[in-house]
Amino acid sequence: QMINIKLQNKISESILAKNATLESTKTDKHQHGFGLKSVEKRVKQMDGIYYVKEECKYFQTIIYIPV
């Protein structure tokens, strides 16, 4: 049994095509860009599934966590 979490943001153009590694585009990079990486790391520690995709002009983060 898994908990499914889906987060999505509307986009006007592809994010993954321009920035496939999802590196922060902010100028102060040493203080930004840790959010999704931290989530991914924790989900994998819990033997869960984490991935991102784009669909129908939405950027989506999909998470499955075992219960």
Side-chain angles (χ1 to χ4, degrees), residues 4-8 53 55 58-63:
N4 177 6
I5 301 169
K6 178 180 175 182
L7 307 167
Q8 63 181 20
K53 68 177 186 172
E55 186 175 303
Y58 282 92
F59 177 83
Q60 301 175 344
T61 303
I62 313 294
I63 299 168

Side-chain angles (χ1 to χ4, degrees), residues 17-31:
K18 291 183 176 182
N19 187 359
T21 59
L22 299 175
E23 295 294 321
S24 177
T25 58
K26 296 180 180 172
T27 55
D28 195 6
K29 290 185 191 289
H30 71 277
Q31 293 191 23

Side-chain angles (χ1 to χ4, degrees), residues 10-67:
K10 186 89 166 150
I11 55 175
S12 58
E13 59 185 343
S14 175
I15 294 169
L16 296 174
K18 291 183 176 182
N19 187 359
T21 59
L22 299 175
E23 295 294 321
S24 177
T25 58
K26 296 180 180 172
T27 55
D28 195 6
K29 290 185 191 289
H30 71 277
Q31 293 191 23
H32 297 283
F34 302 104
L36 290 178
K37 290 176 188 171
S38 297
V39 171
E40 180 179 15
K41 181 180 176 183
R42 184 66 180 130
V43 168
K44 288 181 178 181
Q45 287 174 342
M46 299 170 66
D47 294 323
I49 299 166
Y50 167 95
Y51 64 95
V52 296
K53 68 177 186 172
E54 295 175 344
E55 186 175 303
C56 300
K57 298 207 177 202
Y58 282 92
F59 177 83
Q60 301 175 344
T61 303
I62 313 294
I63 299 168
Y64 293 94
I65 302 170
V67 291

